[in-house]
Amino acid sequence: MDKNEFHVAIIGGGLVGALNAVYFASRGWRVTVYEMREDIRTTKIAGGRSINLALSVRGISALETAGVGRGLLDTLIPMKGRMLHLGKTGRLTSQNYGYFGEAINSVDRKLVNQHLLSMAEKNLKVTLKFQQEILSIDYDKKILSFKQADGKIVKAAADLIVGADGAFSRVRRELMRVTRMNFSQNYIEHAYVELSMPSSASGEYVMDPNHLHIWPRQSFMMIALPNIDKSFTVTVFMPWANFDAIKTEANLLEFFETYFADAIPLIGKELLVKDFFKNPKGSLMSIKCKPYHYKSSCVIIGDAAHAMVPFYGQGMNCGFEDCLVLDEILTKHIGARGSVETMRPSAEKLALALEEYSATRNPDAEAICDLAMDNYIEMRSSVTKLGYKVKKSIEGFMHRLLPKTVIPLYTMVSFSRIPYSKALTISKSRTILYDRIGKVFGYGVTFAGLVVGGVVWIKYGGGLKRIHGFFMR
Amino acid sequence: MDKNEFHVAIIGGGLVGALNAVYFASRGWRVTVYEMREDIRTTKIAGGRSINLALSVRGISALETAGVGRGLLDTLIPMKGRMLHLGKTGRLTSQNYGYFGEAINSVDRKLVNQHLLSMAEKNLKVTLKFQQEILSIDYDKKILSFKQADGKIVKAAADLIVGADGAFSRVRRELMRVTRMNFSQNYIEHAYVELSMPSSASGEYVMDPNHLHIWPRQSFMMIALPNIDKSFTVTVFMPWANFDAIKTEANLLEFFETYFADAIPLIGKELLVKDFFKNPKGSLMSIKCKPYHYKSSCVIIGDAAHAMVPFYGQGMNCGFEDCLVLDEILTKHIGARGSVETMRPSAEKLALALEEYSATRNPDAEAICDLAMDNYIEMRSSVTKLGYKVKKSIEGFMHRLLPKTVIPLYTMVSFSRIPYSKALTISKSRTILYDRIGKVFGYGVTFAGLVVGGVVWIKYGGGLKRIHGFFMR
């Protein structure tokens, strides 16, 4: 270990660990990434399953600031709204996510991970080590011990240890020994299974690729996201009890006939049965903890700090934004990337930076964990309710009138970098705003005005562009 | 291992583990208690510190039902109320806990533990093993592995594994690998240190022994509980920051002169300084989790399932009541203690019993965790406020009028076996009750009536016995 260099050990070479390696190397720091699994760029994932994620503004900002957007952002498939498959026939209804054409973007998890590892490795300051299982960490001496693929135990030293090792983080577990960490993990009663929906015989998408497809069935749901190979990845979310009740091929087909009939020909019966029974059923949990750091020795980011249920599509985005926020705070305390002073930060300043990161990032991470939990009900049930549609219309109507004053919650979360906690607070106080308007104009008049505005907007859909143009330009 | 016997491994020979061994042995089960430390009956605790606890109705019920009260209940020192030490001079004010002379009881932790271990060992079905550190558990094969004092790793088998191994339970940690356990741990920003207040030169108590003494100082507090050797154990609770600020003897004495002046001569300057700096500062945390069991293999009880802050004096009582509740549920599903059918329970029935225990005990344990957290503010601050005293008076007044209808929260928690969660719900709905009365009699009249009743009661203190007699008999 070169004493003149500042050494960082990043535990975990997944999405967030790899991106953070890029950020840290650009400070002139020597970065070693220790990943437990094999190199995802050279191994085949069993069955070639592709898990897709929705990349939105926070994630894109973090990638672009790190200068690693190119080559990745071209592979995105924009999804401008939800496509609801309603009733037995699967009648289609589109609900836009944004009010000015904004979209979230379907992207392949493996592809993003491979890209980021390669981008990290391009930097001579970065070394990637695979099949390194972290065993223990001495945070005061800053010594780590790993078990290698050959079973050999090796030790390593670092000036700073970054835990990007996911929801079951061992770095966090070790951190709990030296800090008074508040911690919670909560499983929901629902689980998921992934299925594939192949491209058509002619190699085309079998559904509109520019939507996130949802089959909302109140107490459970199915969704589908497009892949670049023209297939879709389908995920069924429902209570464990429902999974337990589907024991035979006949059970499964009856269940699909009843709830997702239109999807059967698109997936194909044979593949449906094979995938459903073969693929693992995953549990869903939320993890919160605090603090995220220990002195100047350690910080945890991504799922290691805040695992969330997948229903707001923000897990990856939040993890990427962690890297960006940490970078911004480091810049404030120890100088900008590329500057001379940042290359060997003092322990005092680094500790201050990590403390600020812990204190400011925690409420944001906890807010998105809560929002993600709430959004499951929205996706599987609320989207089909009239009350929801009216509320959305009112919000959309006001957003178009006052685009910087009234911003819908979904827009704040997915299409802005407004801190998650602020988005949550604003959304909660929205009812207060309505209340204030009500007090001035009278509740009846205000409500009627908003409803009429909303209904007009629902009714004349496309016509609104004109109204929008009229008001906005 | 005798195949004809039902074997239980209890991990942890503390208060709750030892009591549970008595309960289980009386079902005709073969019980082995594995304790990590040495035998508390033969080792000297460093410095001879005595930690005291407050035993109340739930704990006493559990001891008596197990038939282990005798020899222990004689050593109790009843504390019928709080003795507040107010202002710089330590002006004394007594506040009774009960309204009919009920008391909580100061008892020595070590003494209780020693007594319960000896009672357990009297039963030939119980084996106590010390210096056995649990390493891992295979819950499906029901195999445990331990590290002994000589460093040797040994394995053991059991039909049922009971985790009574405290807040940092390894049984719980292992349980998290096989169940989807919801879990939270929360540290509060306050810490504690214990001091001793010796008996007088003539060997007498230096303060009234039949009170729990409190020096409430709003943001922090000191308390003292009597010991049978005529000394008191004193505990200072305050934020970590306050501990950090007391660096020198002069700092400490100035702090005590300002806030606890009347205690200085009672403790003695020299001992105060010695204890304060020598004794460890302890952190305070709350742990909740769910479920408490796994199939018919494992159940966790006591602090392993629900660690709480000490401010309601219910940690031990709740743990003891766990044993009693578990016993009641086992009786329901697999027969009474002493019956033939309980000796070799079927896995199915046992699993049902553990599932019911988990489901019913969890809300009660979480309720007392929450109540304990809230009670810190009551002890250190509310007790000095007029509003609190008026509220208490009203509640006490109504309790005396309608002793089975309006029961104060403290009475429900400490002097009854009303489930904790029910006590919490009733206490919350009390305001609703007042509201209903208000609707009938008019709020003004009801409030005035209650206040006058309360004030009369405060004012004429002792005179109330007459009123009580008048109304009650």
Side-chain angles (χ1 to χ4, degrees):
Chain A
M1 189 163 131
D2 184 344
K3 293 262 175 195
N4 293 315
E5 280 185 314
F6 185 78
H7 282 251
V8 182
I10 298 181
I11 315 304
L15 300 173
V16 176
L19 177 59
N20 205 56
V22 175
Y23 270 102
F24 276 12
S26 68
R27 292 194 171 269
W29 294 352
R30 168 74 53 196
V31 177
T32 311
V33 177
Y34 299 88
E35 166 58 41
M36 192 167 71
R37 288 160 300 187
E38 291 177 64
D39 190 340
I40 196 171
R41 295 168 299 176
T42 51
T43 52
K44 283 205 174 169
I45 290 181
R49 269 197 312 144
S50 86
I51 301 169
N52 40 25
L53 298 164
L55 186 64
S56 51
V57 162
R58 293 169 203 266
I60 293 171
S61 303
L63 293 172
E64 286 186 335
T65 307
V68 295
R70 189 175 292 189
L72 183 63
L73 300 181
D74 327 332
T75 70
L76 303 182
I77 306 167
M79 300 179 290
K80 66 185 167 71
R82 300 176 179 129
M83 185 68 84
L84 305 184
H85 294 238
L86 299 169
K88 247 194 113 98
T89 55
R91 181 168 38 85
L92 299 179
T93 309
S94 165
Q95 288 180 352
N96 281 355
Y97 283 126
Y99 296 89
F100 301 106
E102 306 95 321
I104 60 174
N105 304 281
S106 183
V107 68
D108 186 282
R109 168 189 274 272
K110 188 177 169 183
L111 203 142
V112 180
N113 204 161
Q114 290 173 330
H115 174 79
L116 291 176
L117 286 173
S118 296
M119 292 306 285
E121 213 169 34
K122 271 191 184 171
N123 193 316
L124 294 177
K125 290 273 185 185
V126 176
T127 310
L128 306 179
K129 293 190 172 183
F130 296 93
Q131 294 181 277
Q132 308 281 326
E133 185 188 348
I134 183 87
L135 295 179
S136 64
I137 303 174
D138 182 328
Y139 285 113
D140 289 308
K141 292 183 182 151
K142 302 187 184 181
I143 302 285
L144 306 101
S145 87
F146 297 93
K147 189 166 139 189
Q148 292 182 322
D150 56 9
K152 231 173 91 179
I153 312 287
V154 292
K155 287 193 186 291
D159 297 303
L160 172 62
I161 296 151
V162 178
D165 51 345
F168 297 96
S169 171
R170 296 210 186 166
V171 176
R172 184 186 65 226
R173 193 189 69 190
E174 296 291 297
L175 205 54
M176 288 172 94
R177 296 176 192 268
V178 292
T179 62
R180 291 190 294 275
M181 185 187 278
N182 287 352
F183 172 82
S184 75
Q185 65 177 44
N186 277 288
Y187 284 90
I188 63 172
E189 289 300 313
H190 291 235
Y192 72 94
V193 68
E194 286 185 339
L195 312 170
S196 7
M197 183 183 281
S199 59
S200 68
S202 57
E204 289 308 309
Y205 285 110
V206 294
M207 303 188 298
D208 178 353
N210 295 120
H211 278 87
L212 191 157
H213 293 260
I214 310 185
W215 288 255
R217 295 297 179 264
Q218 307 309 321
S219 62
F220 58 95
M221 69 175 183
M222 184 165 84
I223 66 168
L225 278 81
N227 298 315
I228 40 173
D229 67 357
K230 307 287 171 84
S231 69
F232 282 86
T233 301
V234 177
T235 313
V236 179
F237 294 94
M238 60 185 182
W240 281 104
N242 293 34
F243 279 106
D244 293 342
I246 299 174
K247 291 188 201 306
T248 65
E249 202 174 310
N251 292 158
L252 176 66
L253 292 176
E254 193 194 327
F255 176 73
F256 262 72
E257 291 287 358
T258 312
Y259 296 108
F260 310 127
D262 64 317
I264 300 177
L266 303 180
I267 296 175
K269 275 191 190 177
E270 205 174 319
L271 190 59
L272 169 62
V273 171
K274 191 179 133 232
D275 277 357
F276 188 91
F277 290 108
K278 190 197 69 186
N279 289 347
K281 314 298 171 283
S283 56
L284 295 161
M285 62 150 22
S286 196
I287 287 179
K288 296 176 182 176
C289 66
K290 185 186 174 184
Y292 296 150
H293 79 295
Y294 176 66
K295 296 181 180 171
S296 66
S297 301
C298 178
V299 64
I300 53 175
I301 55 178
D303 281 5
H306 46 67
M308 64 194 77
V309 292
F311 307 114
Y312 225 118
Q314 285 292 312
M316 170 180 66
N317 288 291
C318 179
F320 283 173
E321 199 186 37
D322 285 354
C323 302
L324 179 50
V325 169
L326 180 56
D327 182 65
E328 287 163 352
I329 292 174
L330 287 171
T331 294
K332 179 179 150 192
H333 286 272
I334 59 170
R337 281 181 284 141
S339 69
V340 178
E341 62 270 28
T342 203
M343 291 183 69
R344 279 215 59 86
S346 75
E348 292 73 32
K349 284 185 179 175
L350 187 55
L352 280 178
L354 297 187
E355 192 179 330
E356 181 176 331
Y357 174 75
S358 230
T360 60
R361 192 60 178 160
N362 171 266
D364 287 326
E366 298 206 352
I368 188 62
C369 284
D370 291 341
L371 285 167
M373 201 67 101
D374 295 344
N375 215 47
Y376 187 26
I377 298 162
E378 175 152 340
M379 286 178 85
R380 73 180 197 230
S381 170
S382 313
V383 290
T384 66
K385 303 280 165 70
L386 181 66
Y388 172 86
K389 284 184 259 184
V390 170
K391 185 177 158 279
K392 278 281 179 188
S393 312
I394 292 173
E395 220 172 44
F397 177 71
M398 293 191 63
H399 179 47
R400 281 173 175 266
L401 279 176
L402 309 160
K404 293 193 174 167
T405 311
V406 181
I407 312 176
L409 179 60
Y410 193 92
T411 299
M412 288 192 280
V413 169
S414 302
F415 307 132
S416 89
R417 279 203 60 213
I418 295 170
Y420 291 120
S421 59
K422 199 175 161 193
L424 184 60
T425 312
I426 290 172
S427 160
K428 279 184 185 160
S429 66
R430 183 107 350 124
T431 39
I432 299 169
L433 174 71
Y434 291 148
D435 196 51
R436 284 200 189 142
I437 299 172
K439 272 187 185 143
V440 177
F441 296 101
Y443 290 98
V445 173
T446 304
F447 185 73
L450 291 173
V451 169
V452 169
V455 169
V456 164
W457 186 45
I458 287 188
K459 197 90 182 170
Y460 300 100
L464 207 74
K465 271 196 185 135
R466 212 163 15 92
I467 301 176
H468 165 222
F470 175 75
F471 278 110
M472 294 293 304
R473 277 160 214 177
Chain B
M1 187 162 129
D2 184 344
K3 294 259 175 195
N4 293 314
E5 282 186 313
F6 186 77
H7 282 251
V8 182
I10 298 182
I11 315 304
L15 301 172
V16 176
L19 177 59
N20 205 57
V22 174
Y23 270 100
F24 277 12
S26 69
R27 293 194 169 268
W29 295 351
R30 167 76 49 197
V31 178
T32 310
V33 177
Y34 298 89
E35 166 59 40
M36 191 167 71
R37 289 159 298 186
E38 290 176 64
D39 190 341
I40 196 171
R41 294 168 299 177
T42 52
T43 52
K44 286 207 171 164
I45 290 181
R49 270 198 308 145
S50 85
I51 301 171
N52 39 25
L53 298 165
L55 187 64
S56 51
V57 163
R58 292 168 204 267
I60 292 171
S61 304
L63 294 171
E64 286 186 335
T65 307
V68 296
R70 189 175 291 189
L72 183 63
L73 300 181
D74 328 332
T75 70
L76 303 182
I77 305 168
M79 301 180 289
K80 65 186 168 73
R82 301 175 179 127
M83 184 68 84
L84 305 184
H85 295 238
L86 300 170
K88 246 193 115 99
T89 55
R91 180 167 40 84
L92 299 179
T93 309
S94 165
Q95 288 180 351
N96 281 357
Y97 282 126
Y99 296 90
F100 300 106
E102 306 96 320
I104 60 174
N105 304 282
S106 182
V107 67
D108 186 282
R109 167 190 275 273
K110 188 177 169 185
L111 203 142
V112 180
N113 205 161
Q114 289 173 333
H115 174 80
L116 291 176
L117 286 173
S118 295
M119 292 306 286
E121 215 169 33
K122 272 192 182 171
N123 192 316
L124 294 177
K125 290 273 186 186
V126 176
T127 309
L128 305 180
K129 294 191 172 184
F130 295 93
Q131 295 183 275
Q132 307 281 326
E133 186 188 348
I134 181 87
L135 295 178
S136 65
I137 303 174
D138 183 327
Y139 286 111
D140 289 308
K141 293 183 184 152
K142 303 188 186 181
I143 302 285
L144 306 100
S145 86
F146 296 93
K147 190 166 140 189
Q148 292 183 322
D150 57 9
K152 233 174 90 179
I153 312 287
V154 292
K155 287 192 188 291
D159 297 304
L160 173 62
I161 297 151
V162 178
D165 52 343
F168 297 96
S169 171
R170 296 211 187 165
V171 176
R172 184 185 66 226
R173 193 189 69 191
E174 296 292 296
L175 205 54
M176 290 171 93
R177 296 176 191 268
V178 291
T179 62
R180 292 189 295 274
M181 184 186 278
N182 287 351
F183 172 83
S184 75
Q185 65 176 42
N186 277 289
Y187 284 91
I188 63 171
E189 289 299 314
H190 291 234
Y192 72 94
V193 67
E194 285 184 341
L195 312 170
S196 5
M197 183 184 282
S199 59
S200 69
S202 57
E204 289 307 310
Y205 285 111
V206 294
M207 305 187 299
D208 178 353
N210 295 118
H211 278 87
L212 190 157
H213 293 260
I214 310 184
W215 289 255
R217 295 297 179 264
Q218 308 307 321
S219 62
F220 58 94
M221 70 174 182
M222 184 164 84
I223 67 169
L225 278 81
N227 298 315
I228 40 173
D229 67 357
K230 309 286 172 84
S231 70
F232 281 85
T233 300
V234 178
T235 313
V236 179
F237 294 94
M238 59 184 183
W240 282 102
N242 292 33
F243 279 106
D244 294 343
I246 299 174
K247 292 188 201 308
T248 64
E249 203 174 308
N251 291 157
L252 176 66
L253 292 175
E254 194 194 327
F255 176 72
F256 262 71
E257 289 288 357
T258 312
Y259 295 107
F260 310 127
D262 64 318
I264 300 176
L266 303 180
I267 298 175
K269 275 190 189 179
E270 204 173 320
L271 190 59
L272 169 62
V273 171
K274 190 179 133 235
D275 277 357
F276 188 92
F277 290 108
K278 190 197 68 184
N279 289 348
K281 313 300 171 282
S283 55
L284 296 161
M285 61 148 27
S286 197
I287 287 179
K288 296 177 182 175
C289 66
K290 186 187 173 183
Y292 295 151
H293 79 295
Y294 176 65
K295 297 181 180 170
S296 66
S297 302
C298 177
V299 63
I300 53 174
I301 55 177
D303 280 4
H306 47 66
M308 63 193 76
V309 292
F311 306 114
Y312 224 117
Q314 285 291 314
M316 171 181 62
N317 289 289
C318 179
F320 283 172
E321 200 186 37
D322 285 355
C323 302
L324 178 50
V325 169
L326 180 55
D327 182 65
E328 288 163 351
I329 293 174
L330 287 172
T331 294
K332 179 178 151 194
H333 287 271
I334 59 169
R337 282 182 282 141
S339 69
V340 177
E341 63 268 29
T342 203
M343 290 184 70
R344 279 212 61 84
S346 75
E348 293 72 33
K349 285 187 180 173
L350 187 55
L352 280 177
L354 298 186
E355 193 179 329
E356 181 176 330
Y357 174 75
S358 229
T360 60
R361 192 61 179 158
N362 171 266
D364 288 326
E366 297 205 354
I368 188 61
C369 283
D370 291 342
L371 284 166
M373 201 67 101
D374 295 346
N375 214 47
Y376 188 26
I377 297 162
E378 175 152 339
M379 285 179 85
R380 73 183 198 229
S381 170
S382 313
V383 290
T384 65
K385 302 280 165 72
L386 182 65
Y388 172 84
K389 284 183 260 183
V390 170
K391 184 176 159 280
K392 276 282 178 187
S393 312
I394 293 174
E395 222 173 44
F397 177 70
M398 294 191 64
H399 179 46
R400 282 175 175 262
L401 279 176
L402 308 161
K404 293 191 173 170
T405 312
V406 181
I407 312 176
L409 179 60
Y410 194 91
T411 298
M412 287 191 281
V413 169
S414 301
F415 306 132
S416 90
R417 279 203 60 212
I418 295 170
Y420 291 120
S421 59
K422 198 174 162 195
L424 183 60
T425 312
I426 291 172
S427 159
K428 277 184 187 161
S429 66
R430 182 100 359 119
T431 40
I432 299 169
L433 174 70
Y434 291 148
D435 195 51
R436 284 197 191 144
I437 299 172
K439 272 187 185 144
V440 178
F441 295 101
Y443 290 99
V445 173
T446 304
F447 186 73
L450 291 172
V451 169
V452 168
V455 168
V456 164
W457 185 44
I458 287 190
K459 197 87 181 172
Y460 299 100
L464 208 70
K465 268 193 190 139
R466 213 162 15 93
I467 301 176
H468 165 220
F470 176 74
F471 278 110
M472 294 293 304
R473 280 160 214 180

